[in-house]
């Protein structure tokens, strides 16, 4: 349990954050002004999840919806598809298994980031002679949609005509595979606190100079009911803070209406409920990323830094079942990639091309080592009208932990 955040360490990290340039500061100030106006209109405070939604997705100003670099070495954080094409090539094996059995179908990627996963996945499926009829992308961010189009035009121009960008889940249900890598962690969360027998919710206000966080009676009378899962594990806890994602269940309901048959792969950092709402994790999992520095202050540089929370995979599995999915598998990223042919991918590498081989080996390490992304990241497999096993969960299935 080494993720409990030491407040002194956080202050020190915040003090060491690189200074944004003048343009970035100007941009952040515009978003601050928009959030301040909303706080004023709401009577002096907004729930934390609304603050997070505006900070990340306010049209034209939020972290994801404006021009921040975000991914990669010159951005704020690195995701698995950016680390190595091996990630996409292994996912392609899992897609092939489903698409072959369906004798066709589409892929829908939700939250496609820079578009590199789409490009590498399509190139690998082309090599395997198993291209999907269509590759659909649904992303909230118009800025990222443009970036995805540029990536695909650069890396796989001949496959671009198969790709379509959607504004919402398809109205006509399709068959195939849905992929979402690091989507759930980017959904706004509500923050709660247990204190002296009371359940409180976190709000954001403006103190005349800057935003401030505070705890008060929950905004919704249903809050305790919505928190039934975590609260069931936190009986008698005091001075305990955490968060809950209340947007994932409606999202899964909407997704269920769009997938007639096939599989959904949700890949993210997170835990089972018992590990997530553990007594030792008494300050929750909220994290912010700015130029590869991680800290826990969501009020710093609004619009310039990422704000994220780990995923409670038990809650996602329960919501998926309520939406009509079967939970087909749950495992670590390392086991999923191994089950999806990681070794075969490495064996294909030309050891005489020392630089390429070394890059591949480095990629394997970062994707699979427990100290890197191998164990912190999990894969949850959901299926609909599908009763075959999925290869990604063949090596080790940890569903009993959920
Ligand atoms: C942390 S990034 C991950 C990007 C990419 N999957 C990767 O692994 O590099 C989150 C992505 O999800 C998108 N996003 C967040 N919420 C969304 C939603 N409800 N529907 C569609 N896209 C969403 C963001 O715009 C962004 O592209």
């Amino acid at each position: 349990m080494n993720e409990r955040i030491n407040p002194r360490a956080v202050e020190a990290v915040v003090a060491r954050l690189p200074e944004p340039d003048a343009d970035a500061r100007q941009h952040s100030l515009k978003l601050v002004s928009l959030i301040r106006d909303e706080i004023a209109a709401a009577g002096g405070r907004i729930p934390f999840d609304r603050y997070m939604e505006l900070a990340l997705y306010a049209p034209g100003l939020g972290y994801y919806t404006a021009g921040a670099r975000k991914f990669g070495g010159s951005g704020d954080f690195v995701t698995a598809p950016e680390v190595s094409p091996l990630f996409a090539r292994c996912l392609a094996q899992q897609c092939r298994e489903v698409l072959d059995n369906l004798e066709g179908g589409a892929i829908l990627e939700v939250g496609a980031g820079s578009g590199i996963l789409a490009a590498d996945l399509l190139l690998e499926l082309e090599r395997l002679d198993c291209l999907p009829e269509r590759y659909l992308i649904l992303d909230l961010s118009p800025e990222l949609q443009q970036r995805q189009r540029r990536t695909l035009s650069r890396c796989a121009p001949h496959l671009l005509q198969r790709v379509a960008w959607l504004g919402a889940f398809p109205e006509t249900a399709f068959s195939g595979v849905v992929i979402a890598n690091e989507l759930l962690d980017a959904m706004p969360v509500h923050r709660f606190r247990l204190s002296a027998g009371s359940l409180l919710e976190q709000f954001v206000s403006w103190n005349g100079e800057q935003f401030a966080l505070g705890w008060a009676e929950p905004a919704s009378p249903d809050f305790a009911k919505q928190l039934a899962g975590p609260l069931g594990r936190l009986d008698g806890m005091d001075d305990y803070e955490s968060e809950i994602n209340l947007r994932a269940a409606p999202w899964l309901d909407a997704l269920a209406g769009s997938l007639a048959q096939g599989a959904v792969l949700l890949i993210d950092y997170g835990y089972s409920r018992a590990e997530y709402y553990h007594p030792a994790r008494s300050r929750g999992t909220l994290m912010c990323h700015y130029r590869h520095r991680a800290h826990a202050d969501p009020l710093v540089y609004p619009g310039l830094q990422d704000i994220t929370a780990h995923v409670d995979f038990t809650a996602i599995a329960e919501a998926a079942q309520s939406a009509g999915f079967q939970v087909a598998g749950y495992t670590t990223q390392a086991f999923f990639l191994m089950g999806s042919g990681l070794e075969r991918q490495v064996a294909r590498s030309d050891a005489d091309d020392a630089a390429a081989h070394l890059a591949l080996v480095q990629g394997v390490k970062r994707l699979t080592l427990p100290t890197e992304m191998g164990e912190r990241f999990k894969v949850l497999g959901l299926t609909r009208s599908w009763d075959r096993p999925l290869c990604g969960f063949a090596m080790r299935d940890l569903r009993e932990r959920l």
Side-chain angles (χ1 to χ4, degrees), residues 6 12 14 31 124 136 182 257 262 264 274 276 312 360:
N6 170 348
V14 172
L31 180 60
E124 182 68 0
L136 309 169
E182 290 208 35
V264 180
Y276 196 115
D312 169 1
L360 208 69

Coordinates of all heavy atoms in Angstrom, one line a residue, residues 6 12 14 31 124 136 182 257 262 264 274 276 312 360:
N6 N 1.8 11.5 1.0 CA 2.3 12.3 2.1 C 2.1 13.7 1.8 O 2.7 14.2 0.8 CB 3.8 11.9 2.3 CG 4.5 12.8 3.3 OD1 4.0 13.8 3.6 ND2 5.7 12.4 3.7
A12 N 6.0 19.6 -1.7 CA 7.3 19.8 -2.3 C 7.2 19.5 -3.8 O 7.9 20.3 -4.6 CB 8.2 18.7 -1.6
V14 N 4.6 20.1 -5.8 CA 3.9 21.2 -6.4 C 4.9 22.4 -6.6 O 5.0 23.0 -7.6 CB 2.7 21.6 -5.6 CG1 2.1 22.9 -6.1 CG2 1.6 20.5 -5.6
L31 N -9.9 29.6 -18.4 CA -10.7 28.5 -17.8 C -11.0 28.8 -16.3 O -12.2 28.5 -15.9 CB -9.9 27.2 -17.9 CG -10.6 25.9 -17.3 CD1 -11.9 25.7 -18.1 CD2 -9.7 24.7 -17.5
E124 N -1.4 -3.9 -37.8 CA -1.2 -5.3 -37.4 C -2.4 -6.2 -37.9 O -2.1 -7.3 -38.4 CB -1.1 -5.4 -35.8 CG -0.8 -6.8 -35.3 CD 0.5 -7.4 -35.7 OE1 1.3 -6.7 -36.3 OE2 0.8 -8.6 -35.3
L136 N -14.2 2.5 -35.7 CA -14.9 3.7 -35.3 C -14.2 4.3 -34.1 O -13.7 3.6 -33.2 CB -16.3 3.3 -34.8 CG -17.1 2.4 -35.9 CD1 -18.4 1.9 -35.3 CD2 -17.4 3.3 -37.1
E182 N -7.3 3.6 -20.8 CA -7.2 4.8 -19.9 C -8.4 5.7 -20.2 O -8.1 7.0 -20.3 CB -5.9 5.5 -20.1 CG -4.7 4.6 -19.5 CD -3.6 5.5 -19.0 OE1 -3.8 6.6 -18.6 OE2 -2.4 5.1 -19.1
G257 N -26.2 -0.7 -25.4 CA -27.2 -0.4 -26.4 C -26.6 -0.4 -27.8 O -27.3 -0.6 -28.8
G262 N -20.2 -9.4 -29.2 CA -18.8 -9.3 -29.2 C -18.2 -9.0 -27.9 O -18.8 -9.4 -26.8
V264 N -15.8 -6.3 -25.1 CA -15.3 -5.0 -24.7 C -14.0 -5.2 -23.8 O -14.0 -6.0 -22.9 CB -16.4 -4.3 -23.8 CG1 -15.9 -2.9 -23.4 CG2 -17.7 -4.2 -24.6
A274 N -12.2 -4.2 -2.8 CA -11.5 -4.4 -1.5 C -10.2 -3.7 -1.4 O -9.8 -3.2 -0.3 CB -11.4 -5.9 -1.2
Y276 N -9.3 -1.1 -3.3 CA -9.4 0.4 -3.6 C -9.8 1.1 -2.3 O -9.2 2.0 -1.9 CB -10.5 0.6 -4.6 CG -10.6 1.9 -5.3 CD1 -10.4 2.1 -6.6 CD2 -11.0 3.0 -4.5 CE1 -10.4 3.3 -7.2 CE2 -11.0 4.3 -5.2 CZ -10.8 4.4 -6.5 OH -10.8 5.6 -7.1
D312 N -12.3 1.5 -9.8 CA -12.8 0.4 -9.0 C -13.4 -0.6 -9.9 O -14.5 -0.5 -10.4 CB -13.9 1.0 -8.0 CG -14.6 -0.1 -7.3 OD1 -14.4 -1.3 -7.5 OD2 -15.6 0.3 -6.5
L360 N 12.3 -2.9 -28.6 CA 11.3 -3.9 -28.3 C 11.4 -4.4 -26.9 O 10.4 -4.5 -26.2 CB 11.4 -5.0 -29.4 CG 10.1 -5.7 -29.7 CD1 9.2 -4.8 -30.5 CD2 10.4 -6.9 -30.5

